[in-house]
Amino acid sequence: MAESSDAGQGPLSRGGIAPQPLFAVGAVLLGSFLANVDSRLTSVGLPDLRGAFSLGFDEGAWLSTAAIGSQIFIAPAVAWLATVFGLRRVLGIPSLVYALISLLIPFVRDYNALIVLSIAHGLLLGTFVPATLMIVFRNLPIKWWLPAIAIYSIRVGFALDTSTSLVGFYVEHLGWQWLYWQGVVIAPLMGLMVWLGTPHEQTNTALLGDADWGGMLLLGAGVSMIYAGLDQGNRLDWLGSGTVAALLIGGGVLFVAFLINETMVRQPWAHVNVLFSRNVGLALVVILLYTLTSLSNSSLVPNFLNVVGLLRPEQSGEVLLVYGALPMLVTVPLSIFLLRHVDPRGVLIIGLSAFAIGNLLGTQLTNEWRLGDFVPIVILQSVGQALTLFPIIIIALSNADFSRATAFAAYIQLMRLGGAEIGIALMGTWLRVREQIHSNYLGQHIADGSANVEQILKQLGNSFASHGLGTAPGRALGTLAALVQREANVLAYIDGFWLTFWIAIVALGFVALMTRAPPGPFTPAPFGAAHALMRWVGLSRS
């Protein structure tokens, strides 16, 4: 259970052991994957959703922002809600409501109703991942923690690598409605797993009476407004838009107000004191950098295949599924084994190095690259996904106060969801700006009317002559402009890979600053041979 704390750092987090641990682990598995896959399906399948709902580009953009922004609003507070009301209440009934909304959304044609339902859909979806993480800390025996946290950690990479293929399968074979209807099947099953796998808990009226509702609202509203401003900034020209400026400035003010609130209230919900540990602070920074360097997997590879390769999701998703998702069946058990016997900092270095090498390979990109050329990059990213986020979380938990898991989880969710979504928004702006810069540079060489340009235009004009001499010059010029835009996009994606490469290098630098964690439940035990050698050395010295 949970109790009030006099330390002014949030409630103490305590819970009973799950009566059926396998059901609890199943709830973690279903909740984690449903949340990430659902979010990815909405973003990857957005063009199909715009067509299905007859939405314009702007309307579709706000639909995506509303769905994800509402997740960011609720996610940091879920751990506290689970501590006060119990996991059954936080996940049980909401999973059924979520299934009902998922069933109804495809039938809606009024845009305002669609936005309202999407916000409700996102709010409920935003509870799944943080609440299932609380199952690990509060209800599972310690021996189950590593496998359960591994499931929680690799859900991101697995969702990234399977969602593209899944969107293609749904749209081509079952219908776009299944982008929502999969939740009708999975969410109630998750709720059943929670009911069977977690103990019944009474509402903690003491904590409820001291609730820091203001702090929760300030943080949730502030971060979701910042996300909305960043997500729409690329489309609305950033501070040139009053809407974007209001969202960013307003969100920043609310976030500062949250920090002030946490220092003044009697029972702060998530005081920053829980982060006053060198390794915890560094771990949160590395989580943020991980979300940014992994954009090469979530954004650069699939978007390049779409924008330059002109491939549909069902065409490009195969390489991500086969070489990204399936290898995790091997790398995830390997990561669990390594973290039982090796310092997590060493595992983390391997994971970030895999990202760095994969991103460096991406800087050799050309317009001729197709699916097969991305296989080495996708494999390295798969290794990075399995060996990066998992050890980061273990490092953070090894240095954190478990009795403050409620407050600590708020910042984990802030970095996990807010960092990832904000990173995607900023990467979109980076690619757009770099494409414009490269288009300008390439265009300057074409505008000078050199002999090479005249020769290319002549060759293109001759190829179009059979379709009409009068239109051939115009079609030749249009084709040349398209070639320039294609090459500008290629150069922009190369810049994107360089950016994610250097982010991985910076993350490795922060890992180097970490110290060994104090002894605890995650302390690795040396391999059998190494352990025997250490004992022999100790005996010989004595």
Side-chain angles (χ1 to χ4, degrees):
M1 296 299 292
E3 300 174 0
S4 295
S5 167
D6 295 329
Q9 295 180 5
L12 296 173
S13 301
R14 298 174 183 171
I17 297 299
Q20 298 291 337
L22 283 177
F23 286 118
V25 172
V28 173
L29 175 66
L30 292 176
S32 299
F33 282 101
L34 177 61
N36 281 83
V37 170
D38 194 297
S39 299
R40 283 291 296 172
L41 291 185
T42 302
S43 58
V44 175
L46 186 59
D48 295 293
L49 294 179
R50 285 202 304 263
F53 290 119
S54 301
L55 303 179
F57 185 84
D58 291 346
E59 292 174 324
W62 281 111
L63 177 67
S64 176
T65 300
I68 297 176
S70 55
Q71 293 182 49
I72 297 176
F73 175 84
I74 192 67
V78 172
W80 185 90
L81 295 173
T83 301
V84 173
F85 296 105
L87 285 161
R88 287 187 176 184
R89 295 185 182 90
V90 171
L91 282 176
I93 296 176
S95 67
L96 299 179
V97 178
Y98 174 84
L100 177 62
I101 293 176
S102 300
L103 178 65
L104 294 178
I105 285 179
F107 298 104
V108 175
R109 290 299 177 268
D110 179 74
Y111 181 67
N112 292 327
L114 181 62
I115 288 292
V116 171
L117 287 177
S118 295
I119 291 174
H121 190 262
L123 284 171
L124 293 167
L125 186 65
T127 65
F128 293 165
V129 171
T132 52
L133 183 61
M134 290 301 291
I135 291 176
V136 179
F137 297 145
R138 304 181 73 241
N139 302 127
L140 286 179
I142 290 179
K143 67 179 181 179
W144 290 82
W145 281 13
L146 275 180
I149 295 173
I151 291 172
Y152 169 85
S153 301
I154 61 97
R155 80 202 185 282
V156 177
F158 195 85
L160 294 175
D161 292 327
T162 58
S163 57
T164 306
S165 294
L166 203 54
V167 167
F169 177 78
Y170 284 160
V171 172
E172 289 295 317
H173 300 286
L174 299 181
W176 65 269
Q177 295 88 344
W178 281 92
L179 297 177
Y180 292 101
W181 286 351
Q182 68 166 9
V184 179
V185 178
I186 300 176
L189 184 58
M190 179 200 69
L192 177 63
M193 293 281 189
V194 171
W195 186 266
L196 296 174
T198 61
H200 176 69
E201 299 174 87
Q202 298 293 331
T203 299
N204 192 313
T205 54
L207 280 180
L208 187 59
D210 290 329
D212 180 17
W213 297 114
M216 289 183 244
L217 290 173
L218 286 170
L219 179 61
V223 177
S224 58
M225 286 176 66
I226 291 172
Y227 163 73
L230 293 172
D231 193 42
Q232 295 293 324
N234 189 42
R235 184 177 64 87
L236 299 177
D237 193 26
W238 293 102
L239 296 181
S241 165
T243 300
V244 173
L247 287 170
L248 293 177
I249 295 173
V253 170
L254 291 179
F255 184 77
V256 172
F258 157 74
L259 296 177
I260 296 173
N261 175 85
E262 295 305 283
T263 64
M264 297 179 64
V265 296
R266 187 171 68 88
Q267 287 293 337
W269 156 60
H271 199 288
V272 293
N273 284 352
V274 300
L275 306 179
F276 286 174
S277 165
R278 173 176 177 173
N279 279 5
V280 170
L282 290 172
L284 290 177
V285 172
V286 175
I287 288 176
L288 178 61
L289 294 174
Y290 153 77
T291 63
L292 297 177
T293 194
S294 66
L295 288 174
S296 56
N297 181 221
S298 64
S299 180
L300 296 180
V301 171
N303 286 353
F304 177 88
L305 292 171
N306 174 254
V307 174
V308 179
L310 303 178
L311 298 180
R312 285 274 303 164
E314 61 271 18
Q315 296 171 308
S316 61
E318 179 182 352
V319 68
L320 297 175
L321 174 64
V322 175
Y323 299 101
L326 294 184
M328 290 185 185
L329 299 177
V330 176
T331 54
V332 171
L334 175 62
S335 66
I336 296 174
F337 175 79
L338 289 175
L339 286 172
R340 289 190 188 279
H341 302 288
V342 177
D343 191 310
R345 293 173 297 175
V347 181
L348 179 55
I349 288 172
I350 297 173
L352 288 172
S353 298
F355 271 119
I357 295 170
N359 296 338
L360 190 61
L361 291 178
T363 62
Q364 307 304 308
L365 199 64
T366 71
N367 66 76
E368 296 179 351
W369 276 38
R370 292 298 180 263
L371 291 176
D373 299 297
F374 285 98
V375 168
I377 297 176
V378 173
I379 291 175
L380 285 167
Q381 290 170 340
S382 178
V383 173
Q385 293 285 1
L387 301 181
T388 302
L389 184 57
F390 187 17
I392 300 175
I393 293 177
I394 296 301
I395 290 171
L397 294 175
S398 298
N399 291 272
D401 182 355
F402 280 109
S403 67
R404 304 295 172 187
T406 299
F408 181 70
Y411 292 99
I412 286 282
Q413 298 309 318
L414 185 63
M415 290 294 185
R416 174 193 70 85
L417 192 54
E421 299 302 338
I422 289 171
I424 291 173
L426 293 178
M427 179 58 76
T429 298
W430 171 265
L431 293 176
R432 176 179 61 83
V433 171
R434 298 304 299 174
E435 188 274 333
Q436 292 173 346
I437 291 173
H438 290 302
S439 290
N440 180 54
Y441 287 154
L442 294 173
Q444 290 178 7
H445 292 286
I446 293 176
D448 63 8
S450 66
N452 290 333
V453 174
E454 294 295 336
Q455 183 180 359
I456 292 174
L457 286 174
K458 183 177 180 180
Q459 291 175 350
L460 291 172
N462 291 336
S463 65
F464 291 121
S466 60
H467 299 282
L469 292 175
T471 60
R475 298 181 69 176
L477 188 59
T479 301
L480 181 58
L483 292 174
V484 169
Q485 185 180 27
R486 183 194 68 186
E487 294 305 312
N489 275 315
V490 171
L491 292 170
Y493 278 97
I494 290 174
D495 292 342
F497 277 110
W498 273 119
L499 178 63
T500 53
F501 166 77
W502 285 113
I503 291 174
I505 297 300
V506 172
L508 286 169
F510 278 101
V511 174
L513 299 176
M514 293 179 177
T515 58
R516 183 181 296 276
F522 296 117
T523 300
F527 293 103
H531 184 64
L533 178 62
M534 291 172 63
R535 290 183 60 189
W536 179 80
V537 171
L539 290 173
S540 63
R541 287 179 177 175
S542 62

